[in-house]
Every structure is written in structure tokens, then in C-alpha cells.
């Protein structure tokens, strides 16, 4: 097998090489241009299109990403055992995970055995379909249009994943949708976290409920829920202290916060969103499993897909948990947080680096 690091430095990737070997791409440029024209028909779709273009650019520019991680895979005139073994290795190296990789490879082998996949063009089309099938069940945008008020969103995650920054970006997004937003500074263990959230609040003119350093997080969030009801806010986003998923006493604290919120509303929090850092690879999956077991996650946001992330962790999480992936982040700016759409994500993955 060739040196995995050498392929990452080469331009393009497995998918573009397959298409060059096979000849024409699945869709002509004219069709893609027409689709883009249709997408620009409304402001909301324009916004999604802008994020899709940004996602494509990030994937093309990151040599660590899945398409580049498969870059030195040699595509010959036929699909043989060596090629399939190398493809499997590359998927695993890209953090796609054992379960998702096994499913992808099994379906491809079935198609090959049935004579449905005989060329590089067939293989890339089948690969795209099978990878898309893993993500599609998780493509469930957060829709607050018919939600109870205040809609209470509890944010959880370990330190350093970008949780507080994500809260600020979500606050701005909800404001742009015409919703009134409040924030709860439930991370009372780190003074800088409260200050950071307050800066986001000032920047977006959003009220922030906070107490002193070392205050009981459940008490802070209880007060915030009460204030959100009194002010008839549409959305309350509650921050929590970053914690390792292995710290049992801190996970118990999250359960306490959840119980306290339910004193106001038995159905709340309406969303328990885990934020994970894509650059941590399979550890992000372990975090998701532990947090889900502790508090019952309802959504996931995956940040830092523009950095050194292999990118396959999106598939690993989707396959194992089948939870909604609400948002993905590709940068530091507010507009760099976008709604996760399985079709658009696969399209960006398979068209970047060409």
C-alpha cells in the first residue's frame, strides 16, 4: 500500500480521478449551472447556496479532508480486490469509522457481484449513493416555526469544541429569522466563558442571564428560564460548562440542569445539542455516545470542518447514532455556521478538489 501521507499533498482525490478515468462526470456543467440558477430563486436558498460554495472551497483547500486523504489511490482500468482494499483503508483513515465503512464496502461489493458496478464511473456513483444514504436520516434542520415559546436549547460538550462561539452564531441566526433570543451563562466554572457569552450578547443586543463565578449552574439556568417566560422570549439558549464525557459527577450535573428546566416545562429542554470538534476524529464519536447516554441528545453540531479534520467523522456519527446533525461549522465567522443538508454535503464532498 502506498504512503497515506503522500496522497494528501496531491491535488484532487479519489472521486475526481475516478471521473477522469471514466470520462464524463455524472452531470454536465450546464446542468449544474442550471441548478444553481434555480437555487437563487429565493433568499433562503441563496443563503444555503452561499454556504455550499464556502463548504466546497473549504474542502478543496484542506489537504486533510476525505477527498484528499484518498488522493493517491491508483485507479486502473478495472475494479479489483487491491483497489477495494485500498478504498476501505482510505475510508478508515478519514475517520469514517468501522461501522460506516463496513456498510459502504459491503454495499459496493454486492453491487460489484451483481454486475452493477464495472467501471470507475459506476463505482463513484455507487459510492456517492451509499455514503449519502448514511447521512440522509440525519438531515433534519432545526425548525422553530411551530415550536413552544420559549424554545429552550441546552448546549453541551467538552472544552475547546467551540460551544460558546456556536451559541453566539445561533443567537444571530435566530435573530435573523425574526425571533427574540436570550442567553443563559450556565458555564460558571470558567469566568472567561461568562465574559465571552456576554460579549456575544452585547454584539447581537441579546440579554444574557448570569451570576458570579462558581454559582450553581442549575440555578443560573432556572433563573434564565423564568426570565425568558416573563419576557416572552422566543428562544433561550443555555450554555453549560465544558466537561469530559468521562467525568461522571459533571455529567450528573447536566442531568440536574435538565430536571430543573423541566420544573418550568416538562417537555423542556426542547433541544439538547452536543457540539463536537471534527478535528478530534473518533473521540468525537465517543463524546456523542457518552453525552447521549447521560442526557439524551436531540441534535449535534459539528465544528471545525475547515481545519485538520479528516471529515469522515460526520459519517461515523451519523451511522452510529442516527441523531439529527443540525449544523456544521467551517470557520470563525457567523456565516460560517450552516444548516446541515445531506444532499449538499455529499455534493460538496464529491465535487471539491476537481
Amino acid at each position: 500500500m502506498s504512503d497515506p501521507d503522500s496522497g494528501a499533498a496531491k491535488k484532487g482525490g479519489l472521486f475526481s480521478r475516478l471521473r477522469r478515468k471514466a470520462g464524463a462526470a455524472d452531470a454536465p456543467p450546464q446542468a449544474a449551472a442550471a441548478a444553481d440558477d434555480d437555487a437563487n430563486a429565493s433568499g433562503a436558498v441563496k443563503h444555503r447556496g452561499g454556504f455550499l460554495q464556502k463548504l466546497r472551497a473549504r474542502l478543496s483547500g484542506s489537504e486533510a479532508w476525505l477527498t484528499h486523504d484518498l488522493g493517491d489511490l491508483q485507479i486502473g482500468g478495472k475494479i479489483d480486490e487491491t483497489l477495494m482494499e485500498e478504498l476501505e483503508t482510505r475510508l478508515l483513515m478519514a475517520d469514517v469509522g468501522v461501522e460506516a465503512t463496513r456498510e459502504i464496502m459491503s454495499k459496493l461489493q454486492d453491487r460489484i457481484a451483481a454486475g452493477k458496478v464495472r467501471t470507475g464511473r459506476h463505482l463513484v456513483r455507487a459510492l456517492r449513493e451509499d455514503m449519502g444514504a448514511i447521512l440522509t436520516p440525519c438531515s433534519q434542520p432545526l425548525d422553530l416555526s411551530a415550536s413552544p415559546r420559549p424554545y429552550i436549547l441546552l448546549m453541551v460538550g467538552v472544552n475547546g469544541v467551540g460551544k460558546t462561539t456556536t451559541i453566539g452564531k445561533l443567537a444571530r441566526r435566530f435573530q435573523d429569522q425574526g425571533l427574540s433570543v436570550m442567553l443563559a451563562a450556565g458555564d460558571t466554572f470558567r469566568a472567561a466563558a461568562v465574559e465571552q457569552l456576554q460579549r456575544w450578547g452585547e454584539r447581537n443586543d441579546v440579554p444574557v442571564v448570569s451570576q458570579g463565578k462558581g454559582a450553581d449552574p442549575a440555578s443560573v439556568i432556572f433563573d434564565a428560564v423564568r426570565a425568558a417566560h416573563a419576557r416572552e422570549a422566543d428562544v433561550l439558549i443555555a450554555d453549560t460548562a465544558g466537561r469530559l464525557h468521562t467525568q461522571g459527577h459533571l455529567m450528573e450535573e447536566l442531568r440536574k440542569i435538565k430536571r430543573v428546566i423541566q420544573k418550568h416545562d416538562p417537555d423542556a429542554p426542547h433541544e439538547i445539542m452536543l457540539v463536537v470538534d471534527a478535528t478530534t476524529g473518533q473521540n468525537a464519536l465517543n463524546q456523542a455516545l457518552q453525552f447521549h447516554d447521560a442526557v439524551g441528545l436531540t441534535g449535534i453540531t459539528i465544528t471545525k470542518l475547515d481545519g485538520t479534520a479528516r471529515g469522515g467523522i460526520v459519517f461515523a456519527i451519523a451511522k452510529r447514532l442516527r441523531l439529527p446533525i443540525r449544523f456544521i461549522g467551517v470557520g470563525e465567522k457567523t456565516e460560517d455556521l450552516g444548516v446541515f443538508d445531506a444532499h449538499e454535503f455529499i455534493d460538496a464532498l464529491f465535487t471539491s478538489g476537481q
Side-chain angles (χ1 to χ4, degrees), residues 85-128:
E85 288 179 353
E86 184 72 0
L87 172 58
E88 182 177 21
T89 299
R90 297 294 171 175
L91 290 172
L92 290 170
M93 289 171 59
D95 290 327
V96 173
V98 174
E99 290 186 32
T101 297
R102 184 183 295 128
E103 177 176 316
I104 292 167
M105 297 306 299
S106 176
K107 288 184 176 181
L108 288 176
Q109 294 288 5
D110 289 344
R111 293 174 188 251
I112 292 170
K116 297 179 180 179
V117 171
R118 297 185 299 274
T119 67
R121 182 180 181 183
H122 296 155
L123 181 61
V124 72
R125 182 181 298 164
L127 189 59
R128 177 172 183 154

Side-chain angles (χ1 to χ4, degrees), residues 49-353:
F51 182 74
L52 177 60
Q53 292 174 359
K54 184 171 294 188
L55 178 59
R56 285 175 175 167
R58 294 292 196 274
L59 302 195
S60 295
S62 175
E63 292 182 347
W65 240 87
L66 179 57
T67 42
H68 292 277
D69 206 37
L70 298 169
D72 67 344
L73 187 61
Q74 300 300 311
I75 306 300
K78 64 177 182 178
I79 299 173
D80 55 20
E81 185 176 347
T82 300
L83 172 63
M84 297 304 290
E85 288 179 353
E86 184 72 0
L87 172 58
E88 182 177 21
T89 299
R90 297 294 171 175
L91 290 172
L92 290 170
M93 289 171 59
D95 290 327
V96 173
V98 174
E99 290 186 32
T101 297
R102 184 183 295 128
E103 177 176 316
I104 292 167
M105 297 306 299
S106 176
K107 288 184 176 181
L108 288 176
Q109 294 288 5
D110 289 344
R111 293 174 188 251
I112 292 170
K116 297 179 180 179
V117 171
R118 297 185 299 274
T119 67
R121 182 180 181 183
H122 296 155
L123 181 61
V124 72
R125 182 181 298 164
L127 189 59
R128 177 172 183 154
E129 290 176 1
D130 294 340
M131 294 179 80
I134 292 175
L135 297 184
T136 297
C138 302
S139 186
Q140 301 177 41
L142 192 63
D143 183 6
L144 306 187
S145 59
S147 300
R149 297 291 188 264
Y151 185 89
I152 302 173
L153 198 164
L154 184 66
M155 305 291 289
V156 301
V158 305
N159 284 316
V161 297
K163 178 164 50 64
T164 306
T165 300
T166 299
I167 290 173
K169 293 177 180 179
L170 288 177
R172 180 61 180 271
R173 173 179 288 273
F174 295 147
Q175 279 187 311
D176 289 345
Q177 295 172 1
L179 302 174
S180 59
V181 182
M182 291 183 62
L183 304 179
D187 184 354
T188 61
F189 292 99
R190 191 168 60 93
V194 176
E195 295 170 0
Q196 184 182 5
L197 201 66
Q198 288 173 336
R199 286 196 299 271
W200 274 106
E202 292 170 2
R203 185 184 310 173
N204 297 324
D205 195 23
V206 172
V208 179
V209 177
S210 63
Q211 294 180 16
K213 184 179 183 297
D216 178 25
S219 175
V220 175
I221 294 175
F222 182 86
D223 287 347
V225 172
R226 185 165 52 189
H229 276 280
R231 300 185 189 189
E232 299 184 342
D234 293 316
V235 183
L236 171 66
I237 309 176
D239 192 11
T240 59
R243 65 205 68 215
L244 294 175
H245 50 288
T246 54
Q247 293 175 306
H249 65 293
L250 291 179
M251 297 301 274
E252 178 56 38
E253 181 181 81
L254 283 181
R255 297 187 187 97
K256 177 184 175 182
I257 291 172
K258 183 178 179 180
R259 292 194 299 269
V260 166
I261 292 174
Q262 289 173 341
K263 290 181 179 180
H264 274 291
D265 184 346
D267 296 324
H270 307 103
E271 175 86 357
I272 302 179
M273 183 181 293
L274 174 69
V275 181
V276 294
D277 178 346
T279 65
T280 62
Q282 290 301 304
N283 195 38
L285 175 59
N286 294 331
Q287 293 168 22
L289 291 170
Q290 294 294 330
F291 274 94
H292 188 44
D293 183 63
V295 292
L297 302 174
T298 59
I300 295 176
T301 290
I302 302 176
T303 64
K304 305 183 185 180
L305 281 168
D306 59 318
T308 59
R310 295 294 186 184
I313 191 59
V314 178
F315 296 92
I317 290 175
K319 173 60 182 174
R320 186 67 180 275
L321 289 168
R322 296 186 180 276
L323 287 169
I325 299 175
R326 304 295 196 184
F327 301 95
I328 54 175
V330 296
E332 295 298 323
K333 298 179 180 178
T334 301
E335 60 269 22
D336 291 339
L337 183 73
V339 173
F340 177 75
D341 181 282
H343 174 76
E344 291 182 350
F345 188 85
I346 288 292
D347 185 59
L349 176 63
F350 277 74
T351 56
S352 65

